[in-house]
Amino acid sequence: MARKRSGNKSSTPKQSSKAATGDVKLDTNAAARGKILLDTLSVPKDAASVLTALLRRRANNMTLTKGDVQEIELVIGALHRVTSDGRTQAARLSKVPNLIPGYNMATKTEREDERAADPWEKLKAFVMPSNGKRKGRGYAKIFDAIPSTKKLRRSERERTVTPEMMADEEVRKLFDGQPPYPDKIWMKDTLCSRMKRVETLIEAKVIDKKEWHLKRFLESVLRVGKTTYKSDSGIYTMYNKWKSSNCAVAPVGRGRPSIMLVEDATEATKQSLTDRSSKSSTFQLKGMKNAYAEAKKDQAEKDGLERESVDCHVSNPTAKAAMVAVAMKNPDLGLTRKKLLNKTEKRFQAEHSPMAAKAYALTCLSTHFVEGHRPRNLAKFDPKKLSKSAQQTIEWVKEAYGAEEIHPVDPNLVLSTDDTTVFVYEGTSSSAKGEDDWDWKLIDKTSERSSVRSDFEVSDNDENSGGLRIRLTFTFTASGLAAPPYVAVSGLTDDELSPSLCPDGILAAQIPGLCKGGDDIFSSGFGWLVFLRADKKGTKSKEGDSFLSIANKKFIHYNDEVLLPFIRSIREKLGWKKGTAVPDYLKACSWFDGDIGQLQTMLYEAREALDEAEKICRNKHSAASTGTQQPCDLSPVFRLLKYMQSNMTAKDDVACGLSQTIHDYFSNYLRVKGLNLDGNPRKKKALIDFLLCLPEILEGTMKKKHIKRGFIEAGMVDEETGCVPVYDKLMGTCKRWVSASKDIGIPKEEKENCRGQFQHLMKIQMANGQVSYEDMIEAGIPRDIASDGSIVEYIRPSGADAEHRQPAKTINAERQKRLREEKRRRKASAEYAKAVRDRNTIIDILKRNGEVEEELLAKRQGITLEELTIKDFMHLKKPQVKKLKAFIHARKFDGATFRPKDVAGVDGKLNLVRHSGQSAESIEADCSFQEPCLVWLAWKLRSANIVLSARDAPVLDVTVQLPQFAVVHAGPSQQKRASDYLSDKDWVLSFEATVKGRISTSTVTTAMKINADKLESSLSARLSFHVSGRVHQTKQQHWTINRFTPDNLAPMAAAMCMMGHIVDRVERWRMDECLLSLPMHDLFPLLDDEDGDKELGKLEGCYLFFDWEKMKWIRSGKTSGTGKNACFSGRMKQHYKNAASKDQMREHPLYAKYPAKDVENLGSPEGIFNDLLIYCGMAFDSKASVSSLCSHGKSDSLFVWDKEVMDELKKKGGQVRKVQLDAVAYLWEICYDLLLAEGDNVSASPGFEALGLRVNRAGTKRKSYD
């Protein structure tokens, strides 16, 4: 694909193709080379000076003709033009800005004596340097080539000048009254400096003081007239003041004298770069301005002025020129545009924190090893290649584990997830808006810093603005693998992403080719493109609102659709088979930066249960330390990605493949799902351009060596084998740990103490999942420091409080989960206590309001509240204020709190009356809502409706609801949602024709579709709880509940809504509440032998038990197969028989809690089995046509049967159709089971027992009911 630099991209100078692929070596010698070039361009000027002197000398002696003089003057002019134009072109071609001002500043000292220096000597020094070797053949013997003539011999008879005396020509030039080049007029400092020089030459007897004196020099200056002075007396007065101010050595040249010499600026630069506690690893423009300001203050202090009150402003051009001059004068300092990583003070402290590094090291070492023999997937791991530090780390961990053998987690399963943001701009850059976009910095070229450690700058939190914000999420592994890219476009408006078509504000598309190398037509990879609307986060208190932020939704979607499938696919490559339990040696360690949005979505019980089943260890990095600990940040991938993105465009791309795919998505698939970016075509074009460039960008940046480098730098794997975390490297993520500065570096004794405390702190880590700051302070770990070197007293929190601010920890450690559960209970108890107080307060206010009304109406018979007067309110019995507030509260506020600010006047006062002795007439006339009193306000609200109402008795709720939301998917081929099934007329007709047990027909409506999608999401979350709670650990990856059931949650949600069995507004019901409607209005047909439908009893399918006495659903069941009892009637008879058996009571909680009537039982029954009513959920007739239940991919297919499921069913032997119908019945049973309230469900069965989920009863943990 041909690429060009885009006109709307960053204006970064174009680098070589080598830089674009990762080996970015910025040119830091450009300033020094610019000085060499400008020095060379000054030689023609010196040659012109020599010719000018020669011309004057020969012209005075009449040795040159007029033609000769004209020709020499032409050459002199040409030489001056070469110098002038050469300097201009050099400044244009150089990468270094402000080249000429910087050069002038760097050479100002050298040019002070340029008029006194001999131009012949300067030319000789240029042609023949001090080493005696001539510079070139072209002018090697130019002086010897001059022929000897009489004219030249006559010049030998001219008056010779002794070495002590200055030549007449030079003296005349010194006294010609002309200001030095390039000044047009005499400047104050330049004139004083020349007068000082004349005095010095006279005192040194270099010139004749009788003929050449200071008065003659001033006469020449005044005669030429290039000065603002009119007489020599004014010049003498100015000169004397100048000498008395100790400024006798002023530089010659344009402008004011230098505030600070280049040598001083160089010293300030070096000092800042060598100070490891500095707020930046580079010396920037503001650093140079600060150095100049300090020099001004120092000079003011020397002059007896107040240091802090003087004006220290330094212009940007002056500071920029000084930076260029410093780079020219010192070979160890380079000028670069290398991008900085902005850091706050908190980030600086965190990255220099030994405690944060210690917590990170302990978290990594406690989770990145597994006890036992080395598995086959680590066959290439050779411990002999490990460094001594890595070997020592393994021995330490062995001792901490108390194990003889351990092995590292497979590097393919050590993962790091992180985001990076790019801004795609359309239009002008910041420089066109008048902003100063100077981004050059001075760096130490001799420093041996790691190439993957970003330079940094401590600054305030700056919010980037403008352009289209694109958030890229990546997951890398320590082996160099990468998950599919995830591109999120956030901040869309309601007009850009329709709330009606995308109600939850997240639209996702899985786009083929949007991946590394995906622009190749033979690529089979894909990437995710997600659009996020800028919805406000709701709260739990607002019924019906989602309290998930858009960031929460994005992370949940990424976790479910990208991260988990990525981990599973890696495990399959390592030998794991779907449907089987995950072995310990395939444990995964997933690291993330632990921001609030990620933490919030991972702390729900359903998420924790899923991670436990998947054997995924979730670790968070220390707060604000990701710049040194996060492998994604430490790898060069993000920096290279942003560099390449700013220099690439697909504007003229004509290759087929991805461009057509992107066009189809934006013109069709995304548009029909609610996306509309036509209102901002520049934004849309910029996004499409970026997406088309992304595959090539990723191919150039996401190389294995780049990804692995980040994990090595973070210490998660060693450099020799790429498998073992190394303690010293983990601690090396603390910049103080590796600092060579004695001021902030950690002494050897303290480092030895840190190593010596390893076992003690490791035990705490393994027991709690984290090590607190208090633990580390007690163990003597060095405290954190601020950027100014002071000790930070702040102690980071631990446990379940403010987890986003904590150091590294294992999020799903058992101890951490218990602490969070305790916190939830405390919070729930506090909320319950507050609710009780508020309820009692409201009851008291309403009671008092009723008493006030009774008192008011009792004053006069037969009146209403509307007829009351102000006098009536004034004559209330004491306490009047309390009564009036209750009266107002009931009509103004709907909560337990009376808010005076909402009803007080502009002066903030709300008293009984406005002033003492105020009459009723005065109150009515003078008071208003701007100046109210309690009496007037109560009278004004007398006819208002009461808005305060009594609250229901609160319920103590300690459950954690998993909020539900629906992701709208766009694309040509995607898994159907429940609403898609309901929108398919063929599916609806097929369902109505095949599934029995429906009493009435439900019409498909928009509300039903929305409810079905909500139900699908709820079923998915409840299934995770079911698997972790009821399915044996060895069976939690079984195909029935890991593949077949999840694939069919959408059609099942649609089917149950079609049956009319689901409550309205599913999102309002908690995870532990029942989602089944009560069996009213003939929603469920009865299966009881006496009253039930006899024909329905011959069918197969799913049935439900209902306790009418307690009005609750208690269990679901299924019946299918062969034989006369494989139907509802046969199954009911078996249930009645089992309910009378004590052995069955011991095994099944249904019969223990609901035994048969008048039979011996185990005690403490909740009811009688004979009183239960049994209803039909769904049914099918196996003797009729059931092809729609068993077919796949046809227009009338009701369920999903993929190849993996069908292969498993075929292994059962016999008729595949029969086994499929058994699977359908089990699917119905488990889905209805998921709908029941957790506290009411008496079943302990995992489901799908006959298809493989049953385990030996000796190995189960079934509760005993004896």
Side-chain angles (χ1 to χ4, degrees):
M1 183 183 295
R3 304 293 184 189
K4 291 184 180 180
R5 289 188 61 196
S6 173
N8 60 359
K9 305 280 184 172
S10 171
S11 58
T12 306
K14 190 174 182 179
Q15 303 289 344
S16 64
S17 59
K18 183 178 181 181
T21 59
D23 298 325
V24 179
K25 184 177 181 181
L26 297 174
D27 185 5
T28 57
N29 298 317
R33 286 202 298 269
K35 182 177 183 300
I36 295 174
L37 176 60
L38 292 175
D39 285 341
T40 304
L41 289 172
S42 66
V43 173
K45 177 185 172 184
D46 295 331
S49 300
V50 170
L51 287 176
T52 301
L54 180 64
L55 180 62
R56 289 177 178 176
R57 190 163 55 244
R58 293 295 182 247
N60 292 337
N61 294 332
M62 301 298 292
T63 58
L64 295 175
T65 65
K66 184 177 181 180
D68 293 338
V69 172
Q70 291 177 345
E71 291 176 355
I72 293 175
E73 286 179 344
L74 182 63
V75 173
I76 292 173
L79 291 174
H80 279 296
R81 185 68 178 268
V82 168
T83 297
S84 176
D85 290 359
R87 286 165 59 93
T88 302
Q89 295 302 322
R92 290 179 178 177
L93 296 176
S94 176
K95 297 178 180 179
V96 180
N98 294 66
L99 182 69
I100 300 302
Y103 177 76
N104 293 338
M105 184 176 292
T107 58
K108 183 172 285 189
T109 304
E110 300 173 5
R111 293 184 290 113
E112 285 184 356
D113 297 327
E114 66 176 353
R115 292 189 179 274
D118 187 356
W120 283 96
E121 296 298 327
K122 293 175 68 176
L123 283 179
K124 288 181 180 179
F126 177 76
V127 175
M128 184 178 293
S130 58
N131 56 13
K133 297 182 179 179
R134 300 180 186 272
K135 284 191 175 181
R137 298 177 60 187
Y139 48 87
K141 298 182 179 180
I142 188 170
F143 299 105
D144 298 336
I146 299 176
S148 178
T149 63
K150 290 183 180 181
K151 294 180 181 180
L152 294 177
R153 284 198 299 270
R154 278 199 303 270
S155 66
E156 295 175 358
R157 294 196 296 270
E158 295 174 357
R159 181 175 63 87
T160 60
V161 180
T162 61
E164 290 79 9
M165 299 296 291
M166 182 180 290
D168 290 343
E169 293 82 357
E170 295 174 0
V171 176
R172 291 192 187 95
K173 187 173 183 179
L174 187 66
F175 281 75
D176 61 3
Q178 297 287 347
Y181 176 83
D183 292 348
K184 302 299 182 183
I185 62 172
W186 283 100
M187 308 299 293
K188 169 187 172 182
D189 296 301
T190 310
L191 180 58
C192 292
S193 178
R194 180 65 64 86
M195 292 172 67
K196 178 65 178 177
R197 179 170 176 75
V198 170
E199 286 185 342
T200 303
L201 294 176
I202 293 174
E203 293 175 359
K205 299 182 179 181
V206 176
I207 59 178
D208 187 359
K209 65 179 180 179
K210 293 181 180 180
E211 184 178 359
W212 307 101
H213 44 77
L214 191 58
K215 186 173 180 60
R216 180 174 177 178
F217 169 73
L218 295 180
E219 290 174 353
S220 300
V221 170
L222 295 172
R223 184 179 65 254
V224 172
K226 294 183 177 181
T227 179
T228 58
Y229 291 95
K230 302 300 182 182
S231 64
D232 56 359
S233 61
I235 299 178
Y236 275 119
T237 302
M238 177 271 295
Y239 178 55
N240 291 329
K241 290 181 179 179
W242 182 82
K243 287 196 297 182
S244 63
S245 63
N246 298 323
C247 295
V249 188
V252 177
R254 184 182 300 173
R256 292 168 290 184
S258 294
I259 303 169
M260 182 172 60
L261 297 178
V262 177
E263 289 75 16
D264 296 333
T266 303
E267 184 62 29
T269 303
K270 288 184 175 181
Q271 179 64 32
S272 176
L273 294 177
T274 55
D275 185 3
R276 295 297 294 271
S277 65
S278 171
K279 292 188 176 183
S280 177
S281 61
T282 61
F283 193 76
Q284 304 168 66
L285 183 66
K286 62 182 179 182
M288 185 61 72
K289 296 177 74 172
N290 291 337
Y292 264 69
E294 287 299 317
K296 272 190 173 183
K297 291 180 180 180
D298 292 342
Q299 185 60 47
E301 195 171 25
K302 291 179 181 178
D303 295 341
L305 303 176
E306 187 180 21
R307 178 183 178 89
E308 301 302 329
S309 62
V310 296
D311 181 14
C312 296
H313 173 73
V314 179
S315 66
N316 283 344
T318 300
K320 293 174 183 179
M323 292 181 69
V324 177
V326 167
M328 288 179 173
K329 293 282 286 185
N330 195 296
D332 296 336
L333 300 176
L335 198 64
T336 180
R337 296 183 68 178
K338 189 175 183 181
K339 188 172 180 61
L340 297 179
L341 176 64
N342 286 335
K343 298 184 179 179
T344 62
E345 176 66 26
K346 290 295 183 183
R347 183 174 289 272
F348 176 89
Q349 295 174 12
E351 293 184 352
H352 288 73
S353 169
M355 291 187 177
K358 190 71 173 180
Y360 167 60
L362 293 171
T363 302
C364 184
L365 296 177
S366 64
T367 56
H368 281 224
F369 287 93
V370 180
E371 294 184 39
H373 299 289
R374 189 167 74 237
R376 286 184 299 174
N377 57 296
L378 290 177
K380 293 184 178 180
F381 169 58
D382 186 2
K384 296 179 180 178
K385 295 181 180 179
L386 294 172
S387 63
K388 291 183 179 180
S389 181
Q391 292 175 0
Q392 184 185 49
T393 300
I394 292 179
E395 294 302 319
W396 286 359
V397 177
K398 279 184 181 179
E399 182 180 349
Y401 277 34
E404 292 294 329
E405 288 190 70
I406 61 173
H407 63 82
V409 172
D410 193 304
N412 292 287
L413 294 170
V414 176
L415 307 103
S416 176
T417 301
D418 197 14
D419 297 339
T420 186
T421 302
V422 294
F423 292 87
V424 181
Y425 288 96
E426 283 282 338
T428 59
S429 62
S430 60
S431 59
K433 301 174 184 177
E435 300 175 7
D436 191 349
D437 57 351
W438 174 274
D439 57 355
W440 291 81
K441 285 84 61 176
L442 287 166
I443 64 170
D444 185 0
K445 295 190 292 186
T446 63
S447 175
E448 297 181 355
R449 299 189 180 189
S450 171
S451 61
V452 299
R453 297 284 178 92
S454 298
D455 288 327
F456 67 88
E457 172 191 11
V458 177
S459 64
D460 296 331
N461 287 316
D462 296 326
E463 182 67 25
N464 290 310
S465 59
L468 177 63
R469 184 185 187 193
I470 298 177
R471 191 82 166 166
L472 300 173
T473 305
F474 294 101
T475 294
F476 298 149
T477 73
S479 61
L481 302 179
Y486 189 89
V487 182
V489 182
S490 60
L492 300 184
T493 64
D494 290 352
D495 294 333
E496 293 171 330
L497 188 57
S498 170
S500 59
L501 296 176
C502 188
D504 287 319
I506 176 168
L507 172 63
Q510 191 181 56
I511 300 183
L514 192 66
C515 59
K516 177 181 177 182
D519 48 359
D520 190 324
I521 61 174
F522 299 104
S523 173
S524 59
F526 64 89
W528 285 91
L529 176 61
V530 180
F531 295 90
L532 307 170
R533 191 171 57 242
D535 293 340
K536 292 183 178 180
K537 179 178 177 180
T539 61
K540 295 181 184 179
S541 60
K542 295 182 180 180
E543 188 177 6
D545 282 355
S546 168
F547 54 94
L548 283 176
S549 68
I550 200 66
N552 298 147
K553 297 174 184 177
K554 175 204 154 190
F555 184 77
I556 291 176
H557 182 254
Y558 182 83
N559 184 78
D560 294 347
E561 300 293 343
V562 181
L563 182 61
L564 291 181
F566 181 56
I567 294 175
R568 290 166 184 160
S569 63
I570 292 175
R571 284 172 170 164
E572 287 186 49
K573 295 294 183 182
L574 296 176
W576 172 72
K577 294 184 178 180
K578 288 184 178 180
T580 62
V582 178
D584 290 338
Y585 70 86
L586 289 182
K587 165 188 176 183
C589 293
S590 177
W591 286 83
F592 62 102
D593 52 17
D595 64 21
I596 297 177
Q598 294 177 357
L599 280 171
Q600 286 175 338
T601 54
M602 290 175 56
L603 302 184
Y604 293 108
E605 295 174 3
R607 297 281 157 189
E608 294 175 347
L610 181 60
D611 288 342
E612 184 178 357
E614 294 277 354
K615 281 195 171 66
I616 299 176
C617 178
R618 301 274 189 174
N619 294 332
K620 71 170 287 289
H621 287 286
S622 297
S625 298
T626 56
T628 57
Q629 295 179 3
Q630 173 68 270
C632 294
D633 285 336
L634 291 173
S635 74
V637 174
F638 286 0
R639 296 198 311 276
L640 293 174
L641 186 148
K642 292 180 179 181
Y643 169 78
M644 294 186 67
Q645 180 267 332
S646 65
N647 289 279
M648 292 181 64
T649 181
K651 183 178 180 181
D652 299 324
D653 178 26
V654 296
C656 62
L658 182 61
S659 59
Q660 183 61 42
T661 302
I662 296 294
H663 177 269
D664 292 342
Y665 269 84
F666 276 89
S667 61
N668 184 14
Y669 306 129
L670 292 169
R671 181 179 290 274
V672 298
K673 295 297 183 179
L675 183 71
N676 182 14
L677 298 180
D678 294 341
N680 193 337
R682 293 174 62 189
K683 178 187 291 188
K684 181 178 178 180
K685 290 179 181 179
L687 175 59
I688 293 176
D689 181 77
F690 170 76
L691 294 176
L692 292 176
C693 295
L694 186 60
E696 189 170 348
I697 292 173
L698 298 180
E699 190 172 14
T701 59
M702 285 192 344
K703 299 180 181 297
K704 282 189 176 181
K705 63 178 182 179
H706 294 160
I707 297 174
K708 291 168 67 176
R709 173 53 51 187
F711 286 87
I712 293 172
E713 289 295 324
M716 288 190 183
V717 294
D718 65 299
E719 193 159 8
E720 292 77 18
T721 66
C723 295
V724 178
V726 184
Y727 174 81
D728 286 336
K729 288 285 289 184
L730 294 168
M731 290 299 299
T733 58
C734 168
K735 294 185 176 181
R736 288 183 62 199
W737 189 269
V738 296
S739 174
S741 171
K742 68 177 182 179
D743 297 327
I744 66 170
I746 299 177
K748 180 179 179 181
E749 296 78 12
E750 294 186 11
K751 287 186 178 181
E752 291 299 326
N753 177 64
C754 289
R755 297 186 179 98
Q757 294 292 333
F758 176 83
Q759 295 299 333
H760 167 64
L761 295 176
M762 186 70 161
K763 290 179 181 178
I764 298 176
Q765 173 72 36
M766 296 178 70
N768 299 334
Q770 76 170 144
V771 176
S772 67
Y773 264 40
E774 291 85 350
D775 295 329
M776 288 186 279
I777 292 174
E778 184 178 347
I781 308 301
R783 297 293 298 271
D784 297 351
I785 64 169
S787 59
D788 59 3
S790 61
I791 298 295
V792 177
E793 298 297 333
Y794 173 72
I795 296 178
R796 292 189 179 273
S798 60
D801 298 322
E803 294 189 79
H804 63 285
R805 298 207 306 265
Q806 296 180 15
K809 63 186 289 187
T810 301
I811 291 295
N812 54 356
E814 289 300 325
R815 172 63 176 167
Q816 295 297 313
K817 290 192 286 188
R818 288 197 299 272
L819 290 174
R820 282 191 288 272
E821 177 65 24
E822 293 173 4
K823 179 182 178 181
R824 284 195 290 264
R825 291 185 179 277
R826 290 195 303 271
K827 182 178 180 181
S829 298
E831 291 176 352
Y832 174 78
K834 182 179 182 302
V836 171
R837 290 194 302 271
D838 290 349
R839 180 173 182 268
N840 294 336
T841 301
I842 291 173
I843 292 174
D844 184 61
I845 293 171
L846 292 173
K847 180 181 178 182
R848 195 178 301 122
N849 172 71
E851 294 173 351
V852 173
E853 290 180 359
E854 291 179 3
E855 182 180 348
L856 290 170
L857 295 176
K859 292 180 179 295
R860 287 180 288 163
Q861 296 294 330
I863 65 170
T864 62
L865 291 175
E866 289 80 1
E867 297 172 328
L868 292 173
T869 64
I870 291 179
K871 287 184 179 180
D872 295 327
F873 286 92
M874 291 182 68
H875 295 156
L876 280 173
K877 296 179 181 179
K878 295 184 179 180
Q880 288 177 294
V881 172
K882 195 172 184 179
K883 289 181 178 181
L884 290 173
K885 281 189 175 181
F887 187 87
I888 296 169
H889 190 156
R891 290 159 176 77
K892 196 69 176 177
F893 304 111
D894 60 355
T897 304
F898 184 89
R899 300 187 297 273
K901 290 183 178 179
D902 292 352
V903 292
V906 293
D907 57 359
K909 295 180 180 180
L910 186 65
N911 299 321
L912 181 64
V913 292
R914 291 298 295 179
H915 54 79
S916 179
Q918 191 175 14
S919 64
E921 292 76 11
S922 174
I923 291 175
E924 184 174 0
D926 298 339
C927 290
S928 64
F929 285 108
Q930 286 72 35
E931 295 182 351
C933 66
L934 286 174
V935 172
W936 181 87
L937 191 58
W939 172 73
K940 201 70 175 175
L941 294 174
R942 67 192 184 283
S943 59
N945 295 327
I946 295 178
V947 297
L948 185 65
S949 59
R951 301 287 190 265
D952 295 332
V955 178
L956 182 61
D957 183 12
V958 296
T959 60
V960 180
Q961 300 180 41
L962 181 63
Q964 306 299 320
F965 68 97
V967 179
V968 177
H969 289 81
S973 59
Q974 58 182 6
Q975 187 174 355
K976 287 173 137 184
R977 298 299 310 272
S979 56
D980 296 327
Y981 284 98
L982 292 175
S983 301
D984 187 343
K985 294 182 179 179
D986 292 337
W987 187 91
V988 173
L989 292 174
S990 177
F991 178 81
E992 292 177 341
T994 306
V995 178
K996 313 299 181 183
R998 303 176 67 225
I999 294 179
S1000 59
T1001 302
S1002 299
T1003 303
V1004 177
T1005 63
T1006 301
M1008 180 187 290
K1009 294 177 183 179
I1010 295 174
N1011 208 38
D1013 285 341
K1014 300 289 185 181
L1015 177 62
E1016 178 189 349
S1017 300
S1018 182
L1019 287 173
S1020 178
R1022 290 175 180 232
L1023 180 62
S1024 298
F1025 281 107
H1026 177 89
V1027 172
S1028 62
R1030 289 207 233 162
V1031 181
H1032 194 271
Q1033 190 173 6
T1034 60
K1035 298 289 186 178
Q1036 290 184 356
Q1037 296 297 326
H1038 196 267
W1039 63 270
T1040 54
I1041 44 87
N1042 192 48
R1043 187 71 177 183
F1044 179 62
T1045 302
D1047 286 349
N1048 286 286
L1049 289 181
M1052 278 304 300
M1056 289 188 285
C1057 288
M1058 280 285 295
M1059 298 294 289
H1061 293 170
I1062 305 302
V1063 297
D1064 294 332
R1065 302 297 298 270
V1066 168
E1067 68 274 9
R1068 294 186 176 184
W1069 299 78
R1070 298 196 310 267
M1071 288 290 295
D1072 60 340
E1073 291 184 315
C1074 181
L1075 298 181
L1076 269 179
S1077 297
L1078 294 176
M1080 310 294 186
H1081 311 296
D1082 296 329
L1083 290 177
F1084 298 84
L1086 195 63
L1087 290 176
D1088 186 84
D1089 282 344
E1090 297 179 0
D1091 303 324
D1093 187 342
K1094 303 299 182 182
E1095 292 300 322
L1096 190 60
K1098 299 177 183 179
L1099 304 182
E1100 305 166 48
C1102 168
Y1103 54 89
L1104 301 161
F1105 289 94
F1106 187 76
D1107 184 345
W1108 264 101
E1109 185 177 354
K1110 297 183 179 180
M1111 294 297 291
K1112 62 181 183 179
W1113 295 102
I1114 63 169
R1115 189 184 186 274
S1116 68
K1118 57 81 61 175
T1119 179
S1120 64
T1122 58
K1124 63 177 183 179
N1125 290 327
C1127 60
F1128 288 130
S1129 296
R1131 189 60 182 152
M1132 296 308 102
K1133 294 177 182 178
Q1134 186 64 43
H1135 274 303
Y1136 279 108
K1137 181 179 178 181
N1138 291 344
S1141 170
K1142 201 169 184 179
D1143 291 336
Q1144 291 293 325
M1145 294 179 195
R1146 292 189 179 95
E1147 186 173 346
H1148 298 285
L1150 171 64
Y1151 310 127
K1153 295 181 178 182
Y1154 291 89
K1157 187 176 182 180
D1158 299 329
V1159 299
E1160 185 182 0
N1161 55 66
L1162 303 180
S1164 301
E1166 295 184 9
I1168 302 301
F1169 189 85
N1170 306 70
D1171 295 337
L1172 296 177
L1173 292 182
I1174 307 174
Y1175 293 95
C1176 174
M1178 293 184 187
F1180 62 83
D1181 186 357
S1182 60
K1183 297 178 182 178
S1185 176
V1186 290
S1187 60
S1188 59
L1189 292 175
C1190 302
S1191 64
H1192 175 64
K1194 297 183 179 180
S1195 60
D1196 63 345
S1197 297
L1198 295 179
F1199 298 107
V1200 178
W1201 303 91
D1202 66 8
K1203 184 178 182 302
E1204 179 186 343
V1205 171
M1206 293 304 298
D1207 290 342
E1208 293 291 341
L1209 292 175
K1210 291 175 183 177
K1211 294 178 183 178
K1212 301 296 180 182
Q1215 297 181 5
V1216 177
R1217 177 178 171 276
K1218 171 186 172 298
V1219 184
Q1220 280 185 280
L1221 292 177
D1222 284 341
V1224 169
Y1226 274 122
L1227 175 66
W1228 291 354
E1229 177 194 32
I1230 195 172
C1231 286
Y1232 274 99
D1233 183 275
L1234 296 177
L1235 299 178
L1236 304 185
E1238 182 181 0
D1240 299 337
N1241 195 340
V1242 298
S1243 176
S1245 302
F1248 293 98
E1249 290 85 358
L1251 295 181
L1253 274 195
R1254 180 187 289 119
V1255 296
N1256 294 330
R1257 290 199 170 96
T1260 63
K1261 296 182 179 180
R1262 188 182 295 277
K1263 181 178 179 181
S1264 175
Y1265 292 89
D1266 283 323

